[in-house]
């Protein structure tokens, strides 16, 4: 049981936009920055966004992060078949003094 | 370019101690970076579980569910940090990653990851 809640799967057509939600609480998302990761099976996770909405160099602006209250959202526009992967949200939980992750969302590009 | 590489035995016997090392090379060093460095594990086909993170100064945070069995340490002279997990069981069979936090806080995301090492617990 993950501290952060994500949908198990989402899907959309190539070229479309998709959003992935991440729900937490006042002790984690509500007071700390959120990061999003992309993981292609068989490879390590890759940081997509951090500090809620910042992108590391090299990450295209098709990927965007946002946060409102105790929830965060990853948006992906102009979907490509190469975007098929598992996506994880993560943040710090101030009550647990721990890094916490969502259970992951599998994106299928139909 | 920063590289992190996990190393250690791929097979550990039940009740023994799992020991892994992460070697940092390239554009960064553990001491000069002033960053936190962490361990994360992932059972095949499942989600990510944070194990703990360490700063070269000795500041350490552990996952409470593993804290009684985990020790993370750093060797700045070798630019390495290590994980020891005692009293392992089959439930500890998983892929272990080492990673770097993005800035000087364990609250920051992980911006660089090793390739991971699969460790099996079996007699």
């Amino acid at each position: 049981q993950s501290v952060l809640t994500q949908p198990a799967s989402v899907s959309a057509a190539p070229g479309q936009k998709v959003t992935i939600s991440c729900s937490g609480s006042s002790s984690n998302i509500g007071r700390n920055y959120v990061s999003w990761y992309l993981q292609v099976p068989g490879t390590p996770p890759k940081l997509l966004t951090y500090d809620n909405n910042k992108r590391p160099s090299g990450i295209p602006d098709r990927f965007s992060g946002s946060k409102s209250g105790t929830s965060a959202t990853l948006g992906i526009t102009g979907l490509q078949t190469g975007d098929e992967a598992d996506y994880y949200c993560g943040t710090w939980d101030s009550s647990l003094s721990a890094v916490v992750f969502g259970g992951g969302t599998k994106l299928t590009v139909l | 370019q920063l590289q992190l590489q996990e190393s250690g035995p791929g097979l550990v016997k039940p009740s023994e101690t799992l020991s892994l090392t992460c070697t940092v090379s390239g554009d960064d060093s553990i001491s000069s970076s002033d960053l936190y460095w962490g361990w994360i594990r992932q059972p095949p086909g499942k989600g990510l579980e944070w194990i703990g993170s360490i700063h070269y100064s000795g500041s350490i945070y552990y996952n409470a569910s593993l804290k009684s069995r985990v020790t993370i340490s750093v060797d700045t002279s070798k630019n390495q940090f290590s994980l020891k997990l005692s009293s392992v069981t089959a439930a500890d069979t998983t892929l272990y990653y080492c990673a770097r936090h993005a800035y000087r806080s364990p609250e920051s995301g992980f911006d660089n990851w090793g390739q991971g090492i699969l460790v099996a617990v079996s007699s």
Side-chain angles (χ1 to χ4, degrees), chain A residues 15-55:
Chain A
Q16 297 299 304
K17 175 181 178 178
V18 72
T19 60
I20 299 173
S21 62
C22 176
S23 177
S25 69
S26 59
S27 65
N28 42 65
I29 293 178
R31 67 176 61 184
N32 295 302
Y33 288 125
V34 177
S35 299
W36 285 93
Y37 304 87
L38 170 157
Q39 185 179 34
V40 175
T43 68
K46 179 179 182 180
L47 184 65
L48 281 178
T49 70
Y50 66 101
D51 289 1
N52 300 334
N53 55 18
K54 297 177 183 175
R55 284 185 304 276

Side-chain angles (χ1 to χ4, degrees), chain B residues 30-49:
Chain B
I30 291 176
S31 55
S32 65
S33 68
D34 198 25
L35 300 173
Y36 274 80
W37 304 79
W39 288 97
I40 303 99
R41 67 181 187 177
Q42 183 177 35
K46 296 192 177 180
L48 302 168
E49 180 182 31

Side-chain angles (χ1 to χ4, degrees), chain B residues 39-121:
Chain B
W39 288 97
I40 303 99
R41 67 181 187 177
Q42 183 177 35
K46 296 192 177 180
L48 302 168
E49 180 182 31
W50 174 73
I51 300 171
S53 296
I54 187 168
H55 186 267
Y56 81 93
S57 63
S59 175
I60 306 174
Y61 293 85
Y62 292 128
N63 184 326
S65 67
L66 299 169
K67 187 174 184 177
S68 63
R69 299 194 293 130
V70 172
T71 301
I72 296 176
S73 59
V74 64
D75 186 338
T76 54
S77 66
K78 296 181 179 179
N79 217 25
Q80 297 175 333
F81 61 105
S82 299
L83 168 69
K84 291 186 185 300
L85 181 64
S86 64
S87 305
V88 297
T89 69
D92 297 310
T93 293
T94 186
L95 188 60
Y96 289 81
Y97 292 106
C98 61
R100 185 186 77 172
H101 283 272
Y103 47 84
R104 195 198 184 282
S105 169
E107 304 174 19
S108 62
F110 295 99
D111 66 351
N112 276 274
W113 296 66
Q115 287 301 305
I117 183 169
L118 182 61
V119 179
V121 177

